[in-house]
Amino acid sequence: MRLRASIVIATLNRHQTLLRTLPEVLKQKDDFLEIVIIDQSDEIPKEFLDFVKKEPKIKFWRFSIKKLTTARNEGIKKAKGDIIIFLDDDSLIFPGLIKAHLENYKDPEVGAVTGREVLEDKPNYSTKGKGQVITKRGEIFPNTTSRDKGEVDSLWGANMSIKKDILKKIGGFDDDILLIRDETDVSLRIKLLGYKIIFEPKARIIHLQEKKGGTRFDKRLQWYFKFFHDEIYFQLKYFSHRYLWHFFWRKLRPVLACMFYYGKGHPRAIVLPFLAFGAGIKTYRKNKGSRYVPLRIGIDVHHLNAKVTGKEAYALGIVQALVKIKHTNIYFLYSRKRLPLSPYRFKWRISRVPGFLWYFWSLMQIKLDGIDVLFAPTSYILASLVPAKALPVVHDLAVFRKEFKSLLKARIIEKVLLKRVLRSKKVISISKFTALDLQNRFHLSGKIEIVYPGLPDFKKHPNPVPILKKYSLKKPYILSVGTVEPRKNFSNLILAYKSLKKIKNRYQLVIVGKKGWYADNILALAKNQKNIKFLGYVPREDLRAIFQEAEIFALPSKWEGFGLPVLEAFYFGLPVITSNVSSLPEVAREAALFVNPDSKESIKEALLKLIKSKKQREELAAKGKERLKRFSFTRSAKKLLGIFNSYVK
């Protein structure tokens, strides 16, 4: 589909200049849809009005507010094109500029384009680019030495284009920016959405640099007030608070120039920078959580390691979904190691300090980063140090149940820390069952939000045969997956399997999962049983092959906060046997055969039923595929974004 371009020009008292520049734009009549002029002047010469009236491609609008960002936002509303090219009112464009901009949008990852600038009195400047590069500390450097096309961090306002749908998503230009950084601000929000900004050397303009008129024409001290306001506001919006000292050091020279060179030591000039900084801080606080100020989200991911199990799979799935969703939050990931994620939205905070010292190191980083919310998907420890900002995820309350005999250390840590993090504004539960358990035990009125897991990145294995040989597995086999501990109820599953005397010689029972507490008692039940395989922890690459080749999946657990392996079994088309207690009926519904987990006979009957009936296996597998559609990490991540927003409203 051919993209259409609208050209938007905001102008103030530069009609004679426009009479020079507009004819050059109109020469490229086949390349654009319209020219939208937003005129903020009090008086408009008759000759200019006569010119625009006779040109059908020019859409002329009077606008009373004398502010560039507001005028550009008005232009966005009026423009009909897919791409909006913003030009300064004192810009002469070179032939082919519009085509050069549009050519870049063939790549769907491109969200904006910026081009060259040639100064009228410095023709050799045409060899240099005008994109901008932004450092992690907030320094902004014009990319003036660039000769080649490539990706940059920020647009240059006199010659830039942006997809209209992106401008709608980010809310256009920030009207609270008084003087500068409006293009840089909108650029960072485009980058945070995950789009590229391209410097295109073929898109060239002559910047006439008119000294009179224009939306930024101002007295020097008024200019400095707006400058300092915008600089501190912009710094606080996007960059870690740890760099504020560096920011003020960079601004020392303009502060002194304002006070003593232009202000000549006048008391008003001396206090003006501080008043401006204070006004910028006030603007930042006022807009916190709005569409203009990105939320600063901390995520505790230090439990993510090579061995991904239930909680870790939930955390990883949510983070990966947040990467893919187009939004403008900034994330700070607190960890002991780095994961491959988007560089613009995710700022890593890595430390390998030992033991509990890591939590205190992370607490210091959280303060410096100025985060709004700390999302804690796997652990309560770091969240308990900042309960007011914490958003904890409660997977289950098994440690509060005496019959599961969890380790004393785990019971003490979870009970003490959970009560502390429940002071938070919101608490996430991964199922309705766990939410009800939380409500009954802690009476958390209105604080609980249910954010279901989805299916982790799982795909069918292209060649499962070598994997089965690696683990000495023979088809057909019954599969069960989970940490080897009493509440998973592997004991009754093993006893039920052992009672299938004729069938157990034909079917293997394969149990996958790392050792948990009291695992030795469970492992002892399978001693000298050649057809019962405990594989321990299995890498996900191998696990998908084991799932893929299984015939039946069984999870007769006594207590689950959710039961993620059930979704994995649904994905691979396995008929599922699971318990009729805790969250498992909520997850599986009609797509599973339910058993009483305390009854070995009930588990045995379910196994026999599925082994004997191929038709029932196929029916359950089909229902499982359908049930799986109800769970998605993308859907859950979108809900999570709404919960993040509630923390700053």
Side-chain angles (χ1 to χ4, degrees):
M1 185 182 75
R2 185 184 175 191
L3 295 173
R4 303 180 305 165
S6 292
I7 295 170
V8 170
I9 301 174
T11 188
L12 174 62
N13 298 329
R14 283 182 176 166
H15 300 102
Q16 292 304 315
T17 305
L18 276 172
L19 286 173
R20 181 183 174 188
T21 61
L22 285 173
E24 298 303 315
V25 179
L26 289 165
K27 287 178 183 177
Q28 302 185 39
K29 59 183 178 180
D30 295 331
D31 299 333
F32 67 94
L33 177 69
E34 62 187 351
I35 301 172
V36 177
I37 297 176
I38 307 297
D39 196 326
Q40 304 158 86
S41 311
D42 293 323
E43 296 181 6
I44 302 171
K46 183 177 181 302
E47 62 177 319
F48 180 76
L49 287 173
D50 290 342
F51 177 83
V52 299
K53 283 178 183 176
K54 70 179 183 181
E55 294 293 343
K57 280 206 168 188
I58 296 179
K59 315 296 183 190
F60 179 78
W61 305 88
R62 298 285 300 267
F63 196 63
S64 60
I65 302 171
K66 295 176 175 58
K67 193 173 181 186
L68 181 60
T69 52
T70 313
R72 280 177 170 168
N73 285 335
E74 186 68 15
I76 294 167
K77 293 177 188 175
K78 305 294 187 187
K80 297 177 181 177
D82 309 295
I83 306 297
I84 300 181
I85 299 176
F86 295 93
L87 295 175
D88 275 7
D89 52 9
D90 57 347
S91 299
L92 285 174
I93 72 171
F94 280 78
L97 176 138
I98 298 169
K99 280 184 179 177
H101 272 274
L102 295 180
E103 190 71 21
N104 289 279
Y105 292 103
K106 290 179 180 178
D107 180 352
E109 293 185 6
V110 172
V113 178
T114 192
R116 286 194 189 284
E117 176 184 311
V118 181
L119 302 187
E120 191 173 28
D121 57 346
K122 296 180 182 178
N124 291 334
Y125 205 67
S126 63
T127 61
K128 298 180 181 180
K130 290 296 282 187
Q132 296 184 114
V133 177
I134 306 170
T135 73
K136 67 178 181 179
R137 297 189 294 194
E139 300 157 307
I140 301 164
F141 299 117
N143 190 26
T144 53
T145 59
S146 175
R147 295 170 182 264
D148 302 315
K149 179 174 178 174
E151 195 171 348
V152 290
D153 293 336
S154 179
L155 298 158
W156 195 264
N159 178 12
M160 63 180 180
S161 64
I162 306 170
K163 284 182 177 176
K164 186 175 181 181
D165 64 334
I166 293 176
L167 285 166
K168 286 182 177 180
K169 285 178 185 176
I170 64 176
F173 292 85
D174 188 342
D175 283 331
D176 284 311
I177 289 177
L178 304 179
L179 178 73
I180 62 170
R181 299 294 173 237
D182 46 342
E183 294 103 0
T184 317
D185 171 85
V186 84
S187 299
L188 280 186
R189 285 186 278 137
I190 291 168
K191 297 286 277 188
L192 287 170
L193 278 176
Y195 291 99
K196 297 176 185 176
I197 298 174
I198 299 297
F199 167 66
E200 174 52 73
K202 293 179 183 177
R204 296 192 300 160
I205 65 164
I206 295 174
H207 199 179
L208 301 175
Q209 291 194 310
E210 292 287 345
K211 302 298 182 184
K212 294 182 180 179
T215 53
R216 287 177 176 164
F217 182 71
D218 215 333
K219 293 179 181 179
R220 179 57 65 174
L221 288 183
Q222 291 174 339
W223 185 95
Y224 265 118
F225 181 90
K226 294 175 181 179
F227 169 77
F228 291 131
H229 168 280
D230 289 354
E231 290 289 84
I232 188 67
Y233 175 43
F234 178 79
Q235 183 77 22
L236 290 170
K237 275 180 81 169
Y238 295 105
F239 303 98
S240 177
H241 295 181
R242 72 183 63 210
Y243 299 127
L244 280 173
W245 69 271
H246 186 264
F247 165 81
F248 286 114
W249 176 253
R250 295 198 319 263
K251 295 293 167 274
L252 182 59
R253 183 177 175 182
V255 164
L256 293 175
C258 172
M259 289 177 171
F260 300 108
Y261 184 75
Y262 295 105
K264 303 185 187 308
H266 191 279
R268 179 170 168 266
I270 291 173
V271 300
L272 184 143
F274 304 103
L275 293 174
F277 286 139
I281 293 168
K282 188 175 180 181
T283 301
Y284 169 71
R285 288 176 175 167
K286 179 192 75 173
N287 287 341
K288 195 120 174 167
S290 76
R291 60 181 178 156
Y292 295 137
V293 178
L295 285 177
R296 306 166 82 84
I297 312 295
I299 307 181
D300 177 5
V301 293
H302 83 279
H303 276 99
L304 293 186
N305 52 42
K307 295 185 177 182
V308 177
T309 55
K311 290 183 180 181
E312 293 80 10
Y314 179 87
L316 187 60
I318 286 285
V319 171
Q320 288 173 336
L322 289 172
V323 170
K324 296 173 184 175
I325 297 173
K326 307 247 180 235
H327 56 84
T328 58
N329 295 337
I330 300 173
Y331 294 93
F332 298 85
L333 297 165
Y334 303 95
S335 181
R336 299 180 192 271
K337 66 173 187 175
R338 187 181 293 268
L339 298 171
L341 295 171
S342 166
Y344 262 89
R345 277 192 240 155
F346 291 85
K347 315 290 183 183
W348 284 95
R349 299 292 180 254
I350 307 293
S351 176
R352 292 181 174 83
V353 294
F356 269 84
L357 288 176
W358 182 87
Y359 295 101
F360 294 104
W361 172 87
S362 296
L363 178 62
M364 179 184 70
Q365 299 302 312
I366 286 168
K367 299 293 184 184
L368 289 170
D369 292 331
I371 67 165
D372 300 302
V373 189
L374 175 66
F375 180 50
T378 60
S379 169
Y380 304 139
I381 300 175
L382 186 57
S384 71
L385 299 177
V386 283
K389 293 181 180 291
L391 179 58
V393 177
V394 179
H395 292 263
D396 61 64
L397 298 179
V399 293
F400 290 87
R401 300 182 69 86
K402 295 177 181 178
E403 64 266 33
F404 297 134
K405 298 179 182 178
S406 53
L407 295 178
L408 180 62
K409 178 183 174 183
R411 290 203 302 272
I412 293 172
I413 290 176
E414 286 212 27
K415 286 182 179 181
V416 172
L417 296 183
L418 179 59
K419 288 178 181 178
R420 181 169 172 79
V421 298
L422 290 182
R423 300 176 192 172
S424 61
K425 192 171 182 179
K426 294 283 185 181
V427 177
I428 289 177
S429 163
I430 64 169
S431 66
K432 290 178 183 177
F433 170 77
T434 299
L436 184 61
D437 202 10
L438 270 169
Q439 179 62 41
N440 291 339
R441 194 174 293 273
F442 297 104
H443 310 291
L444 303 176
S445 178
K447 290 177 69 168
I448 304 171
E449 299 281 354
I450 299 167
V451 179
Y452 284 118
L455 189 70
D457 284 340
F458 239 26
K459 294 180 181 178
K460 291 190 174 180
H461 200 287
N463 187 15
V465 175
I467 305 299
L468 298 192
K469 288 182 179 178
K470 175 181 174 180
Y471 295 99
S472 302
L473 302 183
K474 294 179 182 179
K475 296 171 63 176
Y477 57 86
I478 300 160
L479 177 64
S480 191
V481 176
T483 303
V484 182
E485 59 188 36
R487 71 185 177 104
K488 297 294 182 180
N489 202 28
F490 291 128
S491 299
N492 279 349
L493 176 61
I494 291 168
L495 292 173
Y497 170 80
K498 286 166 72 174
S499 67
L500 297 169
K501 294 183 180 178
K502 292 183 179 179
I503 291 170
K504 72 174 184 176
N505 293 326
R506 188 157 57 91
Y507 278 78
Q508 283 186 324
L509 174 61
V510 178
I511 298 174
V512 176
K514 66 180 182 180
K515 285 186 179 182
W517 49 68
Y518 307 111
D520 291 340
N521 296 337
I522 300 165
L523 296 174
L525 290 172
K527 194 173 182 180
N528 300 323
Q529 298 288 319
K530 64 178 182 178
N531 272 358
I532 300 178
K533 297 279 187 180
F534 276 99
L535 303 186
Y537 176 82
V538 169
R540 295 188 74 75
E541 184 70 14
D542 292 353
L543 183 59
R544 61 182 180 143
I546 295 170
F547 259 111
Q548 189 172 318
E549 297 302 301
E551 187 160 304
I552 296 168
F553 179 79
L555 186 70
S557 178
K558 292 185 176 181
W559 191 272
E560 289 289 340
F562 182 81
L564 190 59
V566 171
L567 295 190
E568 295 169 339
F570 287 163
Y571 175 80
F572 286 100
L574 298 184
V576 172
I577 295 170
T578 194
S579 301
N580 60 5
V581 298
S582 68
S583 63
L584 293 165
E586 177 187 345
V587 174
R589 294 279 178 92
E590 69 287 346
L593 201 59
F594 292 104
V595 299
N596 176 357
D598 294 320
S599 168
K600 296 184 284 293
E601 193 61 31
S602 176
I603 300 169
K604 175 185 173 181
E605 288 175 6
L607 289 170
L608 271 174
K609 190 177 289 186
L610 290 189
I611 288 169
K612 290 180 178 180
S613 175
K614 182 180 179 181
K615 181 181 178 182
Q616 189 163 16
R617 292 200 302 269
E618 290 173 347
E619 287 176 355
L620 284 178
K623 289 178 181 178
K625 289 273 189 182
E626 194 62 32
R627 181 67 184 155
L628 183 60
K629 295 176 183 177
R630 304 292 297 272
F631 300 96
S632 159
F633 271 125
T634 300
R635 189 184 301 142
S636 297
K638 287 178 179 177
K639 183 172 183 179
L640 191 60
L641 290 175
I643 299 170
F644 289 156
N645 288 330
S646 71
Y647 266 62
V648 290
K649 289 181 179 177

